[in-house]
Amino acid sequence: MNINFEYDDVKASNRLEIMAAEKLQKLISKFDFIVNADVYFKTENTSDPNTGFICNIRLNTPGNTLFSVSSNANFETSIANSISDLDRQLQKRKAKMKMR
C-alpha cells in the first residue's frame, strides 16, 4: 500500500511519518481492502492552546473515500484521533460489505 505525506506550514518530519505509517499499518492489517492513504499535516494559529496541530487522513477504498480530520495540541494526539475515527468508519464499511 502507498502512503503519501504532505506538509502545509510544517517542516517534514521522519518521526511523524513513521508514527503515522505504523498506525496505518495496523488498520491495513485489519482491513485488507484499503488501496492507499494520504496524510496531511498542517498548523493553524488559534487562540485555543488545545488545538492548532491538524492531521488529515484520507483512505481510498473500493467505491469510497474515507476522511478524518483532527486538531489537537500536538501532532501525535491528532494522528491517534484521526486513526481512531477511521477505524470506526472502516468497521462500519466492513459491516455493510458483509451484508451484501
Side-chain angles (χ1 to χ4, degrees):
M1 187 187 88
N2 188 20
I3 301 173
N4 299 316
F5 294 96
E6 293 186 26
Y7 298 89
D8 187 12
D9 295 329
V10 178
K11 186 178 175 184
S13 169
N14 284 337
R15 183 180 60 84
L16 289 176
E17 288 183 15
I18 291 169
M19 179 182 297
E22 286 175 354
K23 291 186 182 280
L24 283 169
Q25 282 301 110
K26 289 180 184 176
L27 286 181
I28 294 164
S29 66
K30 284 173 59 176
F31 306 101
D32 59 350
F33 55 87
I34 298 172
V35 177
N36 68 354
D38 297 313
V39 181
Y40 303 95
F41 295 107
K42 180 179 178 181
T43 58
E44 183 176 78
N45 289 334
T46 63
S47 59
D48 186 4
N50 295 325
T51 61
F53 293 92
I54 302 169
C55 177
N56 302 336
I57 301 176
R58 182 175 60 201
L59 294 179
N60 293 314
T61 62
N64 280 359
T65 300
L66 305 176
F67 190 75
S68 177
V69 179
S70 181
S71 178
N72 289 292
N74 57 47
F75 282 120
E76 292 81 4
T77 307
S78 294
I79 292 169
N81 288 345
S82 291
I83 293 291
S84 175
D85 185 38
L86 287 170
D87 187 33
R88 284 190 300 274
Q89 291 180 42
L90 287 164
Q91 287 175 2
K92 288 180 184 179
R93 172 102 171 107
K94 189 172 184 176
K96 285 183 182 180
M97 289 171 63
K98 283 185 178 181
M99 291 200 307
R100 293 182 184 178

